[in-house]
């Protein structure tokens, strides 16, 4: 079964898309073509979109799913004319909240994903700069300022996780790659000296060696770096180091960066500088 879903907003569409994708992900047996339609902020755009939705219904032979966060009542009335199954997020949730809180919502466009206070915005930017400056062990002298230091073998997800923590939560995340340079004379991986003073900040990432090999082959095909033997050895030594040094770690193989970050925060108790937007 194939259906089309429209995520519609008079702002960025991030809220409608995020909630819509979360809801529709529960239906694994349905193939859903998802389309995000942001900035539907005029009646003209709303009428044009209704034509697109109706044409889609005729083409598919099934009414599309319509998930919207439209604030303006006139625009919402236009969207309601479309042939589709409608999930109006604001009317579904805001009206009961208004009754409970005994006050009216501001119904302001773009409040969720606006810049907000200058302090929060600057925290976000500074955290992202910190993650970039301290990526891949680039500036180890700044580790005293880090909230967390991610460690792991090359291509296990350290950089995207660091950036996500910075962008979404304002967490200062550095990351350090575990390589053969950190092995002792017996070829065993040891905790790098630069990390020793910050051991309480360390969090390890690991990954299935077969998956790691596939990822590395996209970057350096048919190399020692991407070979299965090399990947198995690096992953095994990294996990052994985590266990011996009591470094908490997570397997990133089957988790998205969002899940990795959330699990990491829950396990470490890291303080968020702000909530995700």
């Amino acid at each position: 079964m194939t259906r089309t879903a429209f995520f519609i907003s008079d702002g960025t569409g991030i809220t409608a898309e995020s909630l819509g994708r979360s809801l529709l992900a529960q239906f694994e047996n349905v193939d859903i073509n998802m389309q995000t339609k942001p900035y539907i902020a005029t009646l003209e755009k709303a009428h044009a979109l209704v034509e697109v939705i109706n044409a889609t219904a005729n083409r598919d032979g099934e009414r599309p799913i319509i998930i919207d966060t439209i604030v303006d009542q006139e625009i919402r009335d236009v969207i309601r004319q479309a042939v589709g199954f409608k999930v109006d997020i604001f009317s579904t949730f805001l009206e009961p909240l208004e009754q409970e809180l005994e006050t009216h919502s501001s119904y302001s466009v773009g409040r969720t994903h606006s810049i907000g206070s200058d302090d929060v915005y600057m925290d976000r930017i500074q955290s992202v700069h910190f993650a970039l400056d301290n990526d891949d062990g680039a500036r180890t002298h700044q580790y005293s300022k880090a909230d967390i230091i991610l460690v792991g073998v090359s291509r296990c997800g350290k950089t995207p996780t660091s950036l996500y923590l910075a962008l979404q939560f304002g967490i200062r995340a550095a990351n350090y790659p575990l390589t053969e340079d950190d092995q002792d004379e017996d070829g065993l991986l040891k905790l790098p000296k630069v990390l020793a003073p910050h051991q309480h900040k360390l969090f390890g990432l690991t990954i299935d060696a077969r998956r790691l090999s596939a990822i590395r082959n996209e970057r350096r095909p048919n190399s020692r770096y991407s070979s299965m033997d090399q990947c198995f050895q690096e992953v095994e030594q990294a996990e052994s180091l985590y266990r011996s040094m009591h470094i908490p770690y997570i397997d990133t193989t089957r988790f998205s960066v969002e899940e990795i970050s959330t699990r990491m925060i829950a396990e470490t108790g890291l303080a968020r500088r702000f909530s995700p937007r």
Side-chain angles (χ1 to χ4, degrees):
M1 184 187 301
T2 300
R3 299 287 289 272
T4 300
F6 288 91
F7 307 133
I8 306 170
S9 174
D10 38 19
T12 63
I14 295 173
T15 300
E17 181 176 353
S18 297
L19 182 56
R21 285 182 178 275
S22 296
L23 292 172
L24 295 174
Q26 306 304 314
F27 301 92
E28 298 179 356
N29 297 326
V30 182
D31 183 16
I32 300 177
N33 173 28
M34 303 182 189
Q35 298 189 32
T36 302
K37 300 295 182 179
Y39 301 114
I40 306 300
T42 66
L43 292 175
E44 291 76 15
K45 288 183 178 180
H47 283 294
L49 180 56
V50 167
E51 293 182 8
V52 171
I53 295 172
N54 291 344
T56 301
N58 290 332
R59 182 198 67 202
D60 294 349
E62 296 280 358
R63 57 180 182 167
I65 310 297
I66 300 172
I67 298 177
D68 80 83
T69 54
I70 298 292
V71 170
D72 186 276
Q73 186 61 53
E74 287 186 293
I75 295 176
R76 290 164 70 186
D77 290 340
V78 172
I79 298 297
R80 285 197 182 107
Q81 299 171 16
V83 177
F85 176 78
K86 301 168 189 68
V87 180
D88 185 335
I89 294 174
F90 279 171
S91 66
T92 300
F93 297 108
L94 282 185
E95 290 176 9
L97 279 171
E98 286 178 334
Q99 295 176 13
E100 177 64 24
L101 298 175
E102 298 181 347
T103 185
H104 289 291
S105 163
S106 63
Y107 285 88
S108 300
V109 177
R111 272 188 84 83
T112 306
H113 301 285
S114 61
I115 288 177
S117 71
D118 290 340
D119 289 344
V120 169
Y121 183 70
M122 290 308 299
D123 259 338
R124 187 188 303 273
I125 297 302
Q126 289 168 8
S127 297
V128 170
H129 282 316
F130 185 89
L132 292 171
D133 287 344
N134 293 276
D135 182 45
D136 216 26
R139 297 189 180 182
T140 57
H141 66 278
Q142 294 187 8
Y143 284 177
S144 60
K145 299 177 182 178
D147 298 317
I148 191 169
I149 304 169
L150 307 185
V151 293
V153 300
S154 173
R155 310 300 289 179
C156 70
K158 300 184 299 301
T159 296
T161 303
S162 297
L163 288 171
Y164 185 84
L165 288 169
L167 185 61
Q168 292 295 314
F169 306 111
I171 291 173
R172 277 28 169 205
N175 74 79
Y176 184 94
L178 299 174
T179 68
E180 292 178 335
D181 292 338
D182 300 311
Q183 294 178 348
D184 62 16
E185 59 274 8
D186 297 321
L188 297 177
L189 188 64
K190 296 296 183 183
L191 185 69
K193 291 182 179 179
V194 70
L195 297 180
H198 312 287
Q199 187 174 339
H200 61 291
K201 296 182 180 181
L202 302 183
F203 197 98
L205 301 185
T206 188
I207 187 172
D208 179 80
R210 289 172 289 271
R211 173 63 178 153
L212 179 62
S213 177
I215 293 171
R216 288 183 173 183
N217 260 300
E218 294 177 2
R219 190 177 188 185
R220 298 182 195 170
N222 304 316
S223 64
R224 177 174 175 268
Y225 169 76
S226 61
S227 70
M228 194 70 73
D229 287 343
Q230 180 68 17
C231 291
F232 268 109
Q233 179 183 344
E234 289 187 33
V235 169
E236 183 179 11
Q237 289 213 9
E239 292 182 1
S240 177
L241 175 67
Y242 301 154
R243 290 190 292 268
S244 65
M245 301 301 296
H246 305 290
I247 298 171
Y249 68 98
I250 187 173
D251 188 332
T252 66
T253 308
R254 293 175 181 83
F255 292 136
S256 66
V257 67
E258 294 89 348
E259 291 173 303
I260 296 167
S261 300
T262 303
R263 287 171 180 268
M264 189 181 301
I265 291 171
E267 186 166 339
T268 62
L270 268 176
R272 310 179 186 194
R273 285 187 172 81
F274 47 77
S275 299
R277 304 187 72 84

